[in-house]
Amino acid sequence: MQNILVVDDEMEIADVVELYLKNDQYRIFKFYTGKEALECIENTKIDLAILDVMLPDIDGFEILKKIREKYTFPVLMLTAKVEYMDKIAGLTLGADDYIPKPFNPLELVARVKAQLRRYTQYNEGVKEEADVIDFAGLVLDRKSHECTYNEKPLTLTPTEFDILWLLCENRGKVISSEELFEKVWHEQYYKNSNNTVMVHIRHLREKMSGPTGKSDFIKTVWGVGYKVEE
């Protein structure tokens, strides 16, 4: 049974999310404040977190930042706000998905399952063509979900790892935003999906620039997509 953290100060919403996820046999840790949630994270093995952005004490973005300092489990952000910059902020800080209120609980459950499936595959070391990619100073280990670049460890979310693996597996080829989105997110590509891809690429570049001071490992082919050189 996987452990899911649910944090929302709107009790009715938190209760509904808890009910639907419990019906799918998840163990739920439900809180209405950020302080309680952070205490839970320190003392409990969490497999996925669902965070409301607007909380009475600590906002969801601050909790997300704390999580990403130590953990790579998937994080879904819930918010009544639909402003573009809020979504960008969440994705840039390392959120894996972003769900505006009001939402369909069944859609939420489907997204939770998709994120957990991807995360679990990395941790169990699912084998496809190879378990390790090693070139140009970058080492990606699918079994351990570890990444190093110029011998410096990079902490990647499952989504970031997926993007980098796909690009490196197809190095020398241009991957369009549409193909990247559909293969990584396993959802149909829409016009606004390109913004989601762009934010994750930018976040990856920022992380990879640390060991080298350069951010050109992932190259943009304008009007086409992204690639890494052979």
Side-chain angles (χ1 to χ4, degrees), residues 1-4 17-29 47 109 112-113 116:
M1 187 177 289
Q2 292 170 300
N3 297 335
I4 297 181
V17 171
E18 178 185 35
L19 175 64
Y20 274 80
L21 290 173
K22 275 189 171 181
N23 285 341
D24 273 274
Q25 307 305 311
Y26 295 112
R27 183 184 291 110
I28 308 304
F29 295 82
D47 296 295
V109 172
V112 165
K113 287 181 178 179
L116 282 172

Side-chain angles (χ1 to χ4, degrees), residues 145-211:
H145 190 235
E146 292 177 337
C147 174
T148 60
Y149 187 39
N150 287 352
E151 300 184 352
K152 298 291 180 69
L154 298 182
T155 302
L156 303 181
T157 67
T159 301
E160 292 166 352
F161 191 99
D162 234 5
I163 292 171
L164 197 52
W165 182 277
L166 179 63
L167 291 172
C168 291
E169 194 175 38
N170 294 277
R171 51 190 177 273
K173 301 177 183 177
V174 180
I175 305 296
S176 69
S177 294
E178 181 175 354
E179 180 182 355
L180 199 155
F181 184 84
E182 291 182 349
K183 286 187 175 178
V184 171
W185 277 265
H186 304 290
E187 297 178 13
Q188 186 175 349
Y189 180 87
Y190 295 101
K191 184 177 179 181
N192 289 337
S193 302
N194 187 51
N195 296 328
T196 301
V197 172
M198 288 174 60
V199 171
H200 279 80
I201 293 290
R202 186 178 71 189
H203 206 205
L204 269 171
R205 284 171 171 160
E206 289 172 355
K207 289 185 176 183
M208 297 184 75
S209 68

Side-chain angles (χ1 to χ4, degrees), residues 109-134:
V109 172
R111 294 197 187 192
V112 165
K113 287 181 178 179
Q115 292 294 337
L116 282 172
R117 184 164 55 248
R118 182 181 301 133
Y119 185 65
T120 302
Q121 284 175 347
Y122 288 131
N123 283 278
E124 290 181 351
V126 172
K127 279 200 172 189
E128 291 184 4
E129 293 182 4
D131 286 325
V132 176
I133 289 177
D134 183 353

Side-chain angles (χ1 to χ4, degrees), residues 14-173:
D15 292 347
V16 167
V17 171
E18 178 185 35
L19 175 64
Y20 274 80
L21 290 173
K22 275 189 171 181
N23 285 341
D24 273 274
Q25 307 305 311
Y26 295 112
R27 183 184 291 110
I28 308 304
F29 295 82
K30 180 181 64 177
F31 301 99
Y32 306 122
T33 67
K35 183 175 182 295
E36 292 174 308
L38 288 173
E39 290 174 357
C40 175
I41 291 166
E42 289 298 318
N43 298 298
T44 308
K45 179 187 178 297
I46 298 297
D47 296 295
L48 180 143
I50 300 172
L51 307 178
D52 184 26
V53 171
M54 301 300 290
L55 293 169
D57 53 347
I58 308 169
D59 71 42
F61 292 145
E62 285 299 316
I63 299 174
L64 175 60
K65 281 167 53 176
K66 292 286 186 184
I67 289 172
R68 286 295 174 249
E69 287 174 4
K70 296 175 65 176
Y71 307 103
T72 60
F73 59 74
V75 177
L76 283 68
M77 305 297 294
L78 295 179
T79 181
K81 292 187 174 183
V82 294
E83 283 85 351
Y84 175 73
M85 290 310 297
D86 279 338
K87 182 172 183 177
I88 295 297
L91 294 173
T92 300
L93 290 171
D96 295 275
D97 207 347
Y98 190 99
I99 305 174
K101 299 177 184 178
F103 55 85
N104 184 328
L106 292 175
E107 180 187 354
L108 174 64
V109 172
R111 294 197 187 192
V112 165
K113 287 181 178 179
Q115 292 294 337
L116 282 172
R117 184 164 55 248
R118 182 181 301 133
Y119 185 65
T120 302
Q121 284 175 347
Y122 288 131
N123 283 278
E124 290 181 351
V126 172
K127 279 200 172 189
E128 291 184 4
E129 293 182 4
D131 286 325
V132 176
I133 289 177
D134 183 353
F135 86 104
L138 178 74
V139 179
L140 290 168
D141 190 322
R142 193 194 289 267
K143 272 191 170 183
S144 63
H145 190 235
E146 292 177 337
C147 174
T148 60
Y149 187 39
N150 287 352
E151 300 184 352
K152 298 291 180 69
L154 298 182
T155 302
L156 303 181
T157 67
T159 301
E160 292 166 352
F161 191 99
D162 234 5
I163 292 171
L164 197 52
W165 182 277
L166 179 63
L167 291 172
C168 291
E169 194 175 38
N170 294 277
R171 51 190 177 273
K173 301 177 183 177

